[in-house]
Amino acid sequence: MAQQTVLVPLVPIQGRPRRNGCVLPGVACRRHARLGPVNNSCSMKCLVRSHPLFRQIGNDDFELILEKARHLELPSHETLFRQGDEAQRFYLVIDGAIKLFRIFDSGMESVVGNATALQAVGEYDVFTRGGRYDCFAETTRPTRLIGFSAPLYLQLARKNNTTALALVEYLAEKRSSHYSEIETITICNARQRVISYLKKLCEDNDNRLMGISGNQGLVLPVPKYQIAAYLGMKPETFSRVLAALQKDGVIQINRREIVITDPDLLDAGQD
């Protein structure tokens, strides 16, 4: 099935704040700043504004970026870009999920990351890797994205110090987070890796849900086998660790939903 590419349906935000609605033009709606699926009360513009790469951009430059943006609707298992392709665009996931992976000369595949609602993909390659993607990006379920022109963003960043600083801060934070993930995967045992991953999901509003008796819960954003590959373990190992955590009273599992029944035990289990 071929990908569909159309202009982004950007709806102007007008009028007074409404219940469950957005607020001011050019300002990220606080209520929807971390939501995944687009709903009728929050425009695409509001969602884009909520991402760190766009929060500090002036209104005129922001409108210009949106004019050149493209909305993609991809089915499951569709390739977004390939390792080695020229990187002319970076993308923001609106809803769905993207698997990032590399294929080595030996033919082996290594999962290097996952992206879900309101996470960017391809931006690190565009801005720091000489303009070529260093991995493959493939949808793992039907996914909507917005593609942005990398040359235009860089052009605007060169003439605006605030935009340039926001870009540097974003890339520095992402690199620091990447190093922390590498440390977790290479040094920690399987149980510690799974706990670290669950704690990271708990910090992400996109994956939270109200658990049993008000306990903190979360939804696994991608299939378990994909999480296992990212954490450097076999799917059965990942499942065994989850089962052990449930037996110890740390979590409760209902398919993709996990409720943290004892946060203190979760913290203690990482030591």
Side-chain angles (χ1 to χ4, degrees):
M1 181 176 179
Q3 69 182 39
Q4 302 173 2
T5 305
V6 296
L7 287 174
V8 181
L10 297 168
V11 181
I13 305 172
Q14 299 176 344
R16 295 182 178 180
R18 296 176 298 171
R19 184 178 181 182
N20 296 331
C22 294
V23 281
L24 300 173
V27 179
C29 166
R30 291 184 178 88
R31 181 177 182 273
H32 296 106
R34 297 289 294 169
L35 285 182
V38 179
N39 55 54
N40 293 332
S41 63
C42 187
S43 73
M44 194 79 76
K45 180 185 292 187
C46 179
L47 290 174
V48 174
R49 260 299 190 193
S50 72
H51 193 273
L53 284 172
F54 301 100
R55 287 176 190 162
Q56 303 301 323
I57 294 179
N59 286 336
D60 290 342
D61 288 347
F62 183 61
E63 293 295 336
L64 181 59
I65 287 175
L66 294 181
E67 286 179 11
K68 303 297 183 181
R70 295 295 182 269
H71 181 202
L72 284 74
E73 297 182 358
L74 304 180
S76 182
H77 304 298
E78 182 85 1
T79 299
L80 178 62
F81 54 75
R82 292 176 171 81
Q83 184 176 326
D85 282 355
E86 186 177 1
Q88 288 295 312
R89 287 187 179 274
F90 63 99
Y91 301 87
L92 183 65
V93 179
I94 300 303
D95 54 31
I98 298 286
K99 177 178 74 170
L100 303 173
F101 62 98
R102 302 190 70 185
I103 296 181
F104 298 96
D105 293 338
S106 62
M108 292 187 62
E109 176 183 310
S110 174
V111 177
V112 296
N114 302 297
T116 54
L118 286 188
Q119 293 181 332
V121 292
E123 81 288 15
Y124 205 76
D125 304 317
V126 164
F127 299 133
T128 65
R129 298 187 183 277
R132 292 195 178 276
Y133 299 116
D134 78 332
C135 65
F136 289 83
E138 180 183 281
T139 60
T140 56
R141 60 176 183 260
T143 300
R144 290 187 295 164
L145 312 96
I146 304 177
F148 301 95
S149 169
L152 175 59
Y153 188 99
L154 288 173
Q155 176 186 338
L156 297 176
R158 290 189 183 101
K159 73 174 187 178
N160 188 302
N161 292 337
T162 302
T163 301
L165 181 59
L167 174 59
V168 171
E169 290 177 345
Y170 171 81
L171 293 176
E173 182 177 346
K174 185 161 186 175
R175 185 169 186 175
S176 176
S177 176
H178 182 60
Y179 284 158
S180 297
E181 292 170 2
I182 292 176
E183 180 180 343
T184 298
I185 293 172
T186 55
I187 297 178
C188 298
N189 60 39
R191 183 183 177 98
Q192 291 170 330
R193 276 178 268 169
V194 172
I195 289 176
S196 177
Y197 181 79
L198 294 179
K199 290 178 67 175
K200 183 179 178 181
L201 288 185
C202 286
E203 297 171 359
D204 189 344
N205 290 335
D206 296 331
N207 300 305
R208 288 183 184 174
L209 53 82
M210 181 57 69
I212 301 171
S213 301
N215 291 322
Q216 187 176 23
L218 55 90
V219 178
L220 297 179
V222 293
K224 292 179 182 178
Y225 75 88
Q226 192 172 324
I227 298 173
Y230 173 65
L231 295 177
M233 63 182 68
K234 295 181 179 180
E236 51 267 31
T237 302
F238 181 69
S239 296
R240 280 199 299 267
V241 172
L242 289 180
L245 291 174
Q246 180 168 246
K247 182 178 179 181
D248 293 341
V250 181
I251 63 175
Q252 291 185 21
I253 306 171
N254 181 20
R255 296 184 180 180
R256 288 179 55 208
E257 296 180 1
I258 295 179
V259 175
I260 311 300
T261 54
D262 195 327
D264 292 335
L265 283 179
L266 188 68
D267 290 334
Q270 200 172 11
D271 297 332

